[in-house]
Amino acid sequence: MLNYEEYKLLMNRQLKKKDVRERVFQDNVIRPFLQVLLTDYDIEPVDVKINSSEHDYTQYCGTYVKNGIEITATPDLCISDNWNWENRKNIVNYKCVVEIKSPILDPITGFEPSKYRCLEEVKRHLNAKKNSKVILTDGITWTFYERELNPIIASICLGNLDYRLKSNSNRKKLV
């Protein structure tokens, strides 16, 4: 089982590579971590949408309106019991969705949750038809939301990142 030290190694490895894209943290750190913790559940990437008559995104995704059209807002991962892409004809027990942010590119977690810049995104996910829970994480801070408790259950911080500014004209963040 993956322990805290091993998780920290995964995070540090990713930071040292200087590849701080959200998707890389999702694939190399967050999803493997959740797969070890939640062995009885399916942890599926759902961040890429495709047109499908067999799949109903609104079962676990919320929506927003753009130019008068309702659009599904897909999270990054979906945690379920008995995942099946053809969810219109198969029953999927959705446990939670996970919204992942890079701890470097857009640090939006790690401080008072009411100040997170992606709360609208979290609120959309909480309006899904068959899912009422969202985890928001940047790999360091994990914040848990539930529709009925509107919005926060709790936050857990696994450590701190030390940001330093590079001394060039761009003032680029380094960790």
Side-chain angles (χ1 to χ4, degrees):
M1 176 173 255
L2 190 71
N3 63 36
Y4 175 70
E5 289 302 316
E6 292 167 322
Y7 179 75
K8 201 163 76 171
L9 287 173
L10 284 176
M11 281 296 289
N12 285 333
R13 177 181 168 269
Q14 198 58 55
L15 292 168
K16 286 179 183 173
K17 287 182 172 189
K18 302 201 186 308
D19 186 350
V20 294
R21 294 172 293 150
E22 177 182 303
R23 181 61 188 254
V24 179
F25 280 94
Q26 173 183 317
D27 293 346
N28 295 348
V29 180
I30 307 300
R31 187 170 182 227
F33 177 63
L34 290 173
Q35 287 173 321
V36 168
L37 289 178
L38 305 171
T39 56
D40 293 338
Y41 296 111
D42 301 309
I43 316 293
E44 299 298 325
V46 292
D47 55 326
V48 177
K49 282 192 292 191
I50 62 169
N51 289 330
S52 173
S53 60
E54 300 89 22
H55 189 76
D56 178 11
Y57 287 97
T58 62
Q59 288 187 21
Y60 58 90
C61 300
T63 62
Y64 64 98
V65 176
K66 183 176 180 180
N67 299 327
I69 300 170
E70 189 173 48
I71 300 170
T72 52
T74 55
D76 296 306
L77 298 174
C78 183
I79 301 171
S80 67
D81 186 10
N82 195 35
W83 172 262
N84 191 304
W85 178 255
E86 295 179 344
N87 64 357
R88 290 186 191 274
K89 64 181 179 182
N90 294 289
I91 296 172
V92 178
N93 185 11
Y94 299 103
K95 299 298 183 182
C96 181
V97 296
V98 183
E99 184 60 41
I100 300 166
K101 301 299 179 189
S102 169
I104 309 305
L105 294 180
D106 190 16
I108 49 143
T109 64
F111 50 90
E112 187 178 332
S114 64
K115 296 181 181 176
Y116 292 172
R117 291 185 293 200
C118 60
L119 286 180
E120 284 305 312
E121 197 172 3
V122 169
K123 287 177 187 176
R124 286 181 200 142
H125 298 324
L126 288 171
N127 288 323
K129 292 177 184 174
K130 295 185 177 182
N131 174 59
S132 63
K133 294 179 177 81
V134 175
I135 299 171
L136 171 65
T137 186
D138 62 3
I140 305 296
T141 301
W142 296 71
T143 305
F144 302 85
Y145 296 87
E146 188 169 26
R147 186 180 308 152
E148 293 80 19
L149 295 179
N150 197 17
I152 297 172
I153 297 173
S155 288
I156 299 170
C157 187
L158 300 178
N160 294 307
L161 293 177
D162 292 324
Y163 294 95
R164 290 174 268 149
L165 295 178
K166 193 177 192 178
S167 57
N168 66 11
S169 61
N170 294 336
R171 305 278 296 160
K172 185 176 179 182
K173 287 180 190 172
L174 297 177
V175 177

